């Protein structure tokens, strides 16, 4: 996927410390975020769509892709750039048919079987989930760890977005192990200064040889 | 909407007394159901889609429309005939753009303001909800009652699907008050004999002058 190399923000309105999602995303854009995934697991459809419509112009103006978690209908209605799909979401083939060849489709892989099945799928990246244990997502499988990430890197033809327990502390190792992008939720949404948090994470990429 | 006159089944797998939804729907089809709305408020997308794909051939073979509650993406992926939208679901205009001019779009109206706003909307019917208090839906507004239904009938240009607390006991009055269709959940899903339950409801229409 063109462009998803760098810092990838997965939103969680509830973790934004009372700030609006649009303000956190605007800070992240100024700081050099590479991609934003809007994730809303409890909002009614209309409000989820309104969130997507609010983020779209901020990201489009900066040429940054907006992806929607799970919901192909929200992506279509909001004119988002694509979707991020979990293993219980719509099958990738169905999403591709609805979204077209240019849409960005990401797929979470939580087991080795997921990884091998993904090899022949028309997806733009794999979300390697979770790398470490994380409080923001409790329904995930055994963490991949750095070794698991490296193993997927050696096998997969797809770009890899690492997610789960990532921060500036471990980002350099994650990148070294083969991640094209590092996805974070609370490390940005709950940061005292989201702009500074993104800058620090971006620097982890700049520091790579 | 062509064809939605009669008995309209809104599904609830949890109320099917351990029977599969496909078996209950197949019984309803044999008994003369006019329309089926698949409603799944908690299933992950993939399983919701699988339910829709399982119902589609049963209904298509009988020429009965399959509508999907809320989820335009499920409707598109399953090749369903349309969607039923609540006031917190996707706006009708957006759903129409995605589904096209031939799709069936129904809209729930829970307040008089909803009714007047709907007058200019490109929808195929209004779901008048709820007529009476009902245990299967707890997030609804003040019941319309027979008087409210009659008032909407006198005002609205749309076909009316009544829902909420309906049964063979009150169906004749509901039809007299102006309902084109009566929608039921538990009266079919939880019936000892869903076939017989649908037959009885269908007879309420046949008995009208």
């Amino acid at each position: 996927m063109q462009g998803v190399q760098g810092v990838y923000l997965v939103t969680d309105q509830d973790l934004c410390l009372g700030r609006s999602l649009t303000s956190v995303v605007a800070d992240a854009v100024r700081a050099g975020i590479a991609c934003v995934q809007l994730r809303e697991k409890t909002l009614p459809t209309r409000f989820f769509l309104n969130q997507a419509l609010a983020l779209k112009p901020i990201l489009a103006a900066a040429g940054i892709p907006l992806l929607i978690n799970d919901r192909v209908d929200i992506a279509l209605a909001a004119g988002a750039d694509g979707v991020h799909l979990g293993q219980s979401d719509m099958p990738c083939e169905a999403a591709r048919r609805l979204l077209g060849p240019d849409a960005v489709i990401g797929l979470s892989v939580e087991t080795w079987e997921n990884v091998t099945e993904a090899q022949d799928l028309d997806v733009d990246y794999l979300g390697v989930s979770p790398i470490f244990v994380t409080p923001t997502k409790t329904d995930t499988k055994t963490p991949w760890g750095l070794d698991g990430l490296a193993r997927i890197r050696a096998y997969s033809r797809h770009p890899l977005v690492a997610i789960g327990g990532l921060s500036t502390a471990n980002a350099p190792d994650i990148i070294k192990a083969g991640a094209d992008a590092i996805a974070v939720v609370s490390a940005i949404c709950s940061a005292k200064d989201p702009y500074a948090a993104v800058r620090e994470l971006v620097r982890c990429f700049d520091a790579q040889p």
Side-chain angles (χ1 to χ4, degrees), chain A:
Chain A
M1 154 185 178
Q2 65 293 31
V4 169
Q5 200 192 9
V7 185
Y8 178 127
L9 168 61
V10 180
T11 69
D12 190 327
Q13 173 68 74
D14 292 345
L15 293 179
C16 286
L17 313 179
R19 298 173 295 218
S20 73
L21 203 51
T22 47
S23 85
V24 171
V25 167
D27 284 351
V29 165
R30 283 191 304 119
I33 200 86
C35 182
V36 174
Q37 177 195 140
L38 178 63
R39 182 161 76 186
E40 293 290 351
K41 283 300 186 190
T42 54
L43 272 190
T45 298
R46 184 165 303 193
F47 305 110
F48 191 170
L49 175 57
N50 287 344
Q51 282 282 34
L53 290 169
L55 297 188
K56 178 69 190 165
I58 301 169
L59 295 167
I64 296 165
L66 169 63
L67 307 185
I68 306 295
N69 184 280
D70 178 12
R71 295 286 298 266
V72 170
D73 50 353
I74 304 285
L76 288 168
D81 301 279
V83 291
H84 181 86
L85 301 174
Q87 294 288 330
S88 299
D89 296 339
M90 189 177 287
C92 298
E93 302 87 336
R96 178 63 72 194
R97 271 196 302 277
L98 296 177
L99 292 165
D102 297 334
V104 174
I105 297 181
L107 176 68
S108 287
V109 291
E110 300 191 346
T111 65
W112 188 253
E113 194 185 6
N114 293 164
V115 173
T116 56
E117 283 172 357
Q119 193 74 336
D120 294 326
L121 294 176
D122 179 13
V123 295
D124 298 282
Y125 70 87
L126 303 186
V128 181
S129 164
I131 302 294
F132 303 120
V133 286
T134 161
T136 51
K137 208 156 184 289
T138 52
D139 59 343
T140 49
K141 311 260 176 170
T142 316
W144 286 103
L146 287 171
D147 289 351
L149 176 60
R151 189 175 166 220
I152 299 173
R153 177 65 297 153
Y155 172 87
S156 178
R157 68 182 182 92
H158 292 110
L160 302 182
V161 177
I163 188 166
L166 306 195
S167 66
T168 47
N170 53 35
D173 288 339
I174 300 289
I175 298 165
K176 242 175 249 152
D180 299 280
I182 51 174
V184 296
V185 186
S186 54
I188 295 175
C189 287
S190 299
K192 201 173 153 190
D193 180 346
Y195 174 85
V198 174
R199 286 302 310 157
E200 266 193 78
L201 288 163
V202 168
R203 263 182 233 118
C204 296
F205 283 89
D206 296 342
Q208 294 293 309

